[in-house]
Amino acid sequence: MTHDLGSLAEIIGFLVAMTVLAQACADEGLFTALGGRVARGARGSSRRLLAYAVATAAVVTATLSLDATVVLLTPVLLAASARRSYAYASVRLANSGSTLLPVSNLTNLLAFGSTGLTFLGFTWAMLPVWIVAVVAEYLVLRVWFRGELRDAAPVPADVQPVPLVPVTVVVLVLIGLGSGLTPWIPAAIGAVVLSTRALVRRLSTWRELLDAANLPLAAVILAWAFSVGYVGSTSLGDRLTDALPSGEGLWSLLAVALIAMIAANLVNNLPATLLLLPAAEAAGPGPVLALLVGVNVGANLTMIGSLANILWRKSGGRSVSTIREFHTIGFATTPVLVVLCTVVLWAWTSVIW
């Protein structure tokens, strides 16, 4: 097995800490302030508001993980303007925007150790992929929803100031993550600091923070991940290892990414990562990064591709979209974006490695 129970528990612990940290940031008014500034900065332009929404979702995803984007940012963007394009900006960027940092997605954390890269090395390798994915998602949404983007966007009368304390804590957590510390440690420290501040200032309660941690879901993910990891250590795992292409050439990386995309949308991206990771790891860091392109960017293909997609519907996506529309956009655009991002990955790593 690529991961034992202890390492999986550390990864899930990081997820819990980051969700509590994100909730504490929301209690401080960070997401409301960001949403207000996005709407004010657009100055009534729907296209500009979409660009700001995409950029905000991409940054929140990269720094606070994709769950913060779909659960906490989605309602804020819908409050700014209840349009489909802004709702889709949060969910699509929650997946495509999670390629940048090792801590932006659980899939990244699972695969990070297999790349043999440092935190900064991983980020440097994925930076062009992330930029291309963000720009491509913006163009997709601008073209797909061009009709509704012709109308003016509302401009809020009042905008809350961005709270400096949560921003500072998040920056310090990122510095701690980049320093090589075990990810759950700086995340837990940041969560304790901000949640304690929220409790002292009566911005939140223990029950609300405990609900944000969602420990039952964390336990299910841990058991699920461990079970799938065990399956991967059997003869089925050996067959997957034999089926996945080896080598770091363009065609091999494209095959890995597309196989990973299909697997993610058959069984969800987390178990797909666990099943395919041993074979990708044996082929080298390039295939591991291509695997992440497939399971992250490729998770926009179907509703079951990522847990973030399901959380997004519960956080407001259901009110402005249908499952049919989600899949129509996904099938029309996601495979093309996976191929584009993989080509960028191959070209960039060919230069820097």
Side-chain angles (χ1 to χ4, degrees), residues 166-194:
V167 171
T168 301
V169 171
V170 170
V171 170
L172 291 175
V173 168
L174 290 175
I175 292 174
L177 292 170
S179 69
L181 290 172
T182 302
W184 71 268
I185 295 176
I189 293 173
V192 169
V193 169
L194 271 192

Side-chain angles (χ1 to χ4, degrees), residues 11-23 25 31 56-74 90-91 93-109 119 130 170 173-174 177 183 187 212 296 306-308 311:
I11 291 172
I12 300 302
F14 170 81
L15 171 66
V16 170
M18 289 302 291
T19 55
V20 173
L21 176 63
Q23 181 60 55
C25 287
F31 294 98
T56 302
V59 172
V60 170
T61 296
T63 56
L64 286 172
S65 83
L66 73 171
D67 294 327
T69 301
V70 293
V71 174
L72 300 172
L73 186 61
T74 296
S90 63
V91 68
L93 270 300
N95 291 315
S96 295
S98 68
T99 57
L100 182 60
L101 303 179
V103 295
S104 301
N105 196 330
L106 279 185
T107 56
N108 298 4
L109 274 176
F119 188 98
W130 182 74
V170 170
V173 168
L174 290 175
L177 292 170
N296 292 346
S306 169
L307 179 61
L311 293 175

Side-chain angles (χ1 to χ4, degrees), residues 128-129 131-137 139-140 250 254 257-258 293 297 333-347:
V129 178
I131 292 173
V132 168
V134 171
V135 173
E137 291 288 9
L139 294 176
V140 164
L250 175 59
L254 283 172
L258 291 173
V293 170
V297 179
T333 64
T334 301
V336 176
L337 295 188
V338 169
V339 170
L340 175 62
C341 290
T342 306
V343 171
V344 171
L345 173 67
W346 167 79

Side-chain angles (χ1 to χ4, degrees), residues 89-254:
S90 63
V91 68
R92 289 188 67 88
L93 270 300
N95 291 315
S96 295
S98 68
T99 57
L100 182 60
L101 303 179
V103 295
S104 301
N105 196 330
L106 279 185
T107 56
N108 298 4
L109 274 176
L110 287 169
F112 177 46
S114 300
T115 64
L117 300 172
T118 64
F119 188 98
L120 293 179
F122 180 102
T123 304
W124 182 238
M126 295 299 272
L127 179 60
V129 178
W130 182 74
I131 292 173
V132 168
V134 171
V135 173
E137 291 288 9
Y138 167 70
L139 294 176
V140 164
L141 294 173
R142 177 162 177 172
V143 172
W144 197 277
F145 296 105
R146 57 189 178 277
E148 73 172 25
L149 292 174
R150 294 191 186 102
D151 300 328
V155 180
D158 299 314
V159 176
Q160 295 182 15
V162 175
L164 295 180
V165 172
V167 171
T168 301
V169 171
V170 170
V171 170
L172 291 175
V173 168
L174 290 175
I175 292 174
L177 292 170
S179 69
L181 290 172
T182 302
W184 71 268
I185 295 176
I189 293 173
V192 169
V193 169
L194 271 192
S195 60
T196 300
R197 174 181 164 85
L199 290 171
V200 170
R201 300 181 67 199
R202 298 178 183 247
L203 299 174
S204 187
T205 65
W206 281 110
R207 180 59 181 271
E208 290 170 339
L209 293 172
L210 189 60
D211 289 343
N214 206 341
L215 296 179
L217 178 61
V220 169
I221 293 175
L222 178 60
W224 185 13
F226 190 68
S227 299
V228 172
Y230 174 76
V231 171
S233 67
T234 65
S235 58
L236 175 60
D238 295 334
R239 294 194 193 99
L240 289 171
T241 300
D242 295 336
L244 207 65
S246 60
E248 302 204 14
L250 175 59
W251 297 114
S252 293
L253 296 187
L254 283 172

